[in-house]
Amino acid sequence: MLATKPKSFAKKLHHVQRNTEHHWVGNGFPVRSLVSYPKLGALISPFLLFDYAGPMEFPPTDKRLGVGEHPHRGFETVTIVYSGEVEHRDSSGGGGKIGPGDVQWMTAASGIVHDEFHGRDFAQQGGLFEMVQLWVNLPAKNKMSPAHYQNILDSQIPVVQLPEDQGSARIIAGELDGLVGPAKTYTPMHIWDLRLASEQLIHLPVPDGYNTLLAVLKGSVQIDGVETVGAAEIAIFEQTGDHICIDHAKNATVLLLCGEPIVEPIVGSGPFVMNTQAEINQAKADYTSGKMGHLV
Ligand code: MN
């Protein structure tokens, strides 16, 4: 059973991040960047970026909706589909189509070129599109490791039932209550896709010293007795404490991101996130000269 009582004390809420500005990534992804490293780097490390695409209805089309060939270096992109389909190809030979509940975990590391589109069948039918893309940083020692790709299907993701009918947690990475998620990560982290509905206090165990973000996609949760966190808002917690408390939750779909901070300089430019400006310049040169590969 999960511990239902705190072992020591709860992480305090640092603040709630709210961003209503949309931008389009290509012609397929209407994105709100809910948190990003230029402003919040140390508070959210090892996470760099949380892009929430949709939810948005797309009419049927024969067009390819998405973003064409582009590079990444120095981190991982993690795409979690809630509604619709995403197709992807990359220069390491990875790729495929994922649908609701599935996850693409792409380790760009030393460099990759990929494209990202709505699935062809989904585009032709039209419908509700909703996905999250996280950028997860790599420690300096792994930034130039070989690129690779993990395709994680919904059926591979274990589900933990929370006590007292408070809801459930899909364990994408890390573990909860002895169930281990399928994603292989370079630094310790937990990524749980939660469905919460409870009038009672919910305790979630997360390690002391880790950064913790609670991203609400649907519904709402209340924290610290006063802060209501609603759709497309992220609660960011302080590092100290070995669990978080949610006062109550209303039909909430929530992603919990929690990880050991990577305490290293972050220097980024567009699709590259490294430790120094010289490494960024090198990344641009390597992409331009074709060293990150091409799609075939
Ligand atoms: Mn990309």
Side-chain angles (χ1 to χ4, degrees), residues 7 30 41 52 70 73 75-76 84 89 115 128 177 183 192 196 201 208 221 230 244 252:
K7 290 189 197 105
Y52 183 28
H70 62 278
R73 172 180 280 181
F75 61 99
E76 305 180 286
R89 294 181 303 150
D115 62 17
L128 186 68
D177 201 22
W192 304 335
L196 301 175
L201 203 59
D208 188 24
V221 302
I244 61 169

Side-chain angles (χ1 to χ4, degrees), residues 14-75:
H14 187 282
H15 74 282
V16 178
Q17 193 73 25
R18 299 182 163 97
N19 177 15
T20 55
E21 284 174 35
H22 282 80
H23 65 276
W24 282 86
V25 175
N27 63 353
F29 306 112
V31 162
R32 284 169 282 185
S33 292
L34 301 186
V35 295
S36 61
Y37 68 89
K39 282 187 184 160
L40 297 168
L43 271 178
I44 65 174
S45 175
F47 307 101
L48 293 165
L49 179 76
F50 188 113
D51 269 0
Y52 183 28
M56 185 179 278
E57 280 290 335
F58 281 79
T61 181
D62 290 323
K63 281 190 206 147
R64 303 249 59 203
L65 299 178
V67 56
E69 186 169 323
H70 62 278
H72 293 288
R73 172 180 280 181
F75 61 99

Side-chain angles (χ1 to χ4, degrees), residues 47 105 134 170-173 189-193 255-257:
F47 307 101
W105 195 294
L134 312 172
R170 302 171 67 236
I171 312 303
I172 296 169
M189 72 188 70
H190 301 292
I191 299 179
W192 304 335
D193 180 18
L255 261 181
L256 180 139
L257 314 177

Side-chain angles (χ1 to χ4, degrees), residues 25 29 67-72 75 77 79 88 106 112-116 133 135 271:
V25 175
F29 306 112
V67 56
E69 186 169 323
H70 62 278
H72 293 288
F75 61 99
T77 66
T79 305
H88 148 109
M106 188 187 80
I112 206 165
V113 170
H114 77 155
D115 62 17
E116 301 160 271
Q133 186 169 88
W135 288 13

